[in-house]
Amino acid sequence: MFKYCLWLVVNDQKVIEQNKKIAELLNTKPFIPHITINHSMPTPMFYSGIHRPNNIYFVDQPTASTSFVRDEDNNMRLFHAIEQKVYVPYFKDVEAHMSLAYRIDGEPFTLQDLMRIPILGLDLINYKVQKKNLKIKNASCWDDNPEKWYIIT
């Protein structure tokens, strides 16, 4: 689906709990909390020279999107996502986002879905995640089931 990805893996208890609650709320599958820095890479990225930021900040309200992607059998699939923009120092030119929920094919996320997140206090606007809770990692994102995506380095 997304081949190899470069993630900033978020190991922050508030973010982990938020993602679990959103998955339950929207009846979606939980996955490793991460900020996507790059995706659809044919090979894992060498990242030893990349600086881990001191912290990251969540900005704006969550948004929903739908895009066409190809699965590992090269079939076109609908990929629905709810994402929240993130400001990541050292990656200022990257439109980084934190993924909150995914659906493959099926119904897209609605405005009502988006509105339920902040009403339940699950949004993280202006929340700061510290460096000790961030790790730069490559992930294998070939499977069309986000639960089967995994960290490789």
Side-chain angles (χ1 to χ4, degrees):
M1 180 148 291
F2 290 107
K3 301 179 183 177
Y4 292 103
C5 298
L6 186 65
W7 286 351
L8 205 56
V9 177
V10 181
N11 189 18
D12 177 278
Q13 201 55 44
K14 182 172 180 176
V15 173
I16 292 167
E17 287 303 313
Q18 176 236 31
N19 274 24
K20 286 180 187 174
K21 288 177 183 175
I22 289 173
E24 189 175 300
L25 174 74
L26 299 177
N27 196 27
T28 60
K29 307 269 187 209
F31 50 87
I32 300 167
H34 64 276
I35 295 162
T36 302
I37 302 300
N38 201 352
H39 64 83
S40 303
M41 302 182 304
T43 60
M45 184 175 177
F46 182 71
Y47 59 84
S48 69
I50 297 175
H51 295 287
R52 192 169 40 140
N54 288 330
N55 45 56
I56 54 114
Y57 297 92
F58 292 89
V59 294
D60 294 334
Q61 292 289 339
T63 59
S65 65
T66 297
S67 56
F68 289 100
V69 296
R70 292 198 179 273
D71 64 17
E72 49 189 295
D73 297 323
N74 210 28
N75 297 316
M76 290 292 269
R77 306 287 297 272
L78 283 172
F79 182 78
H80 310 290
I82 294 180
E83 302 168 343
Q84 188 162 357
K85 286 186 182 179
V86 181
Y87 173 72
V88 183
Y90 304 121
F91 296 100
K92 293 178 180 135
D93 297 330
V94 174
E95 298 234 357
H97 66 271
M98 172 87 166
S99 302
L100 303 178
Y102 298 129
R103 282 188 188 138
I104 310 300
D105 300 323
E107 292 296 315
F109 292 105
T110 65
L111 181 58
Q112 288 174 319
D113 292 330
L114 287 172
M115 291 173 62
R116 293 166 72 190
I117 294 170
I119 288 171
L120 292 177
L122 298 176
D123 62 330
L124 294 170
I125 291 180
N126 298 321
Y127 183 70
K128 179 172 82 172
V129 177
Q130 297 179 347
K131 184 176 188 170
K132 67 179 182 178
N133 295 323
L134 299 169
K135 300 246 185 289
I136 298 172
K137 298 287 183 181
N138 279 297
S140 174
C141 303
W142 289 84
D143 203 283
D144 60 358
N145 178 353
E147 280 186 300
K148 293 184 179 177
W149 295 352
Y150 61 92
I151 293 167
I152 56 173
T153 60

